[in-house]
Amino acid sequence: MRISPAVGRDASPSVAVPPPRSPSEARAALRDSASVGLAFVPLGVAFGVLVAHSGIDWWWATLSSALAYGGSFEFLLIGLVTAAVPLASIAVSAFLVNVRHVFYALSFPLDRVRGPLGKAYGTFALCDEAYALTAGEQARTWSGRRILWLQLFMHLYWAGGATAGALLGSLVPDRVQGLDFALTALFTVLALEAVRDRRGDLPTPVLALLSALAARLLFPGSLLLAAFALFTVGLLARHLTVKDIPRHA
């Protein structure tokens, strides 16, 4: 009986095993932005319907959502345009409504985005929801391409919903219950997700709540700006206080 020689472990041919394929940046960003799209699309439709019912041409909704991309300010802009408000007043209103983005820029991960065009679009497309998603614990490993794809998908959700709403505005009744609650529900979900990601950081949500209450009582006419300012000052004071506390071995 002939016995074939045993083949040693070192003699076995090596087979290159390809590494597991990770999802593309665009696909991952699409998955990340899906929850925001569920609110952006109906909210954009509501905006488009409002444009159509205001007597403005449908393409104005597309142009505004693509170039202004101001969310709540775009709703305000419809009334300003139909009332023929001077451009100076519109500019001041835009600044007051969107001044919160100044605080977002302090911690938005724009440093991961490469190229002047990418940074320019990342700055332009910085919205509340993009900031909320990129501020989470898991987003700390996201690349600049993934962040830009995330912002682009949100932009498309809004512009697509606004265009659809403007084109179909004549088929929608003047008052549809529930569409105006989409933005509130979206911010509620994002806030809960942020709190859950930072379970060990109880002082931060408490500080945010106290800042909002103080702004509501002291500055009811400028609640949003005052709340952000108080929250920023509180975070800076907390950072300096914690940093100065000596740590014992």
Side-chain angles (χ1 to χ4, degrees):
M1 183 174 64
R2 184 178 179 183
I3 302 177
S4 58
V7 180
R9 182 177 298 177
D10 296 336
S12 61
S14 58
V15 180
V17 179
R21 297 183 60 184
S22 58
S24 65
E25 303 284 11
R27 189 182 307 172
L30 180 62
R31 183 180 63 250
D32 299 330
S33 64
S35 58
V36 175
L38 293 176
F40 262 28
V41 172
L43 193 63
V45 170
F47 170 70
V49 171
L50 183 59
V51 168
H53 289 175
S54 299
I56 307 176
D57 293 333
W58 70 269
W59 53 263
W60 196 89
T62 304
L63 189 64
S64 173
S65 58
L67 299 181
Y69 192 41
S72 56
F73 172 70
E74 291 184 56
F75 283 91
L76 177 62
L77 185 59
I78 296 176
L80 297 177
V81 170
T82 54
V85 175
L87 289 178
S89 300
I90 294 178
V92 172
S93 300
F95 173 77
L96 293 177
V97 173
N98 295 320
V99 71
R100 64 188 183 278
H101 291 176
V102 175
F103 298 96
Y104 294 164
L106 297 177
S107 55
F108 185 71
L110 192 63
D111 57 303
R112 304 181 206 165
V113 179
R114 298 181 179 178
L117 292 179
K119 291 183 180 295
Y121 181 76
T123 303
F124 165 76
L126 175 57
C127 61
D128 305 314
E129 295 76 14
Y131 177 82
L133 290 178
T134 56
E137 186 71 23
Q138 297 179 351
R140 295 183 178 180
T141 59
W142 291 358
S143 65
R145 291 176 58 86
R146 184 168 177 175
I147 294 173
L148 286 180
W149 276 112
L150 178 78
Q151 293 181 279
L152 177 62
F153 284 130
M154 292 183 184
H155 198 176
L156 292 177
Y157 293 146
W158 176 253
T163 302
L167 291 174
L168 303 175
S170 59
L171 304 178
V172 179
D174 292 341
R175 182 63 175 173
V176 178
Q177 298 292 334
L179 286 178
D180 53 348
F181 188 72
L183 189 60
T184 304
L186 174 61
F187 281 128
T188 301
V189 173
L190 291 176
L192 292 176
E193 288 293 330
V195 172
R196 188 175 64 176
D197 287 342
R198 305 178 64 90
R199 292 179 181 177
D201 188 14
L202 183 60
T204 298
V206 172
L207 181 60
L209 180 59
L210 293 178
S211 300
L213 292 176
R216 179 66 178 86
L217 295 176
L218 301 177
F219 308 98
S222 304
L223 189 150
L224 190 61
L225 179 59
F228 271 114
L230 292 174
F231 185 55
T232 303
V233 172
L235 288 177
L236 291 175
R238 175 190 168 195
H239 174 72
L240 294 177
T241 303
V242 174
K243 185 178 180 181
D244 292 339
I245 294 178
R247 297 184 178 180
H248 301 281

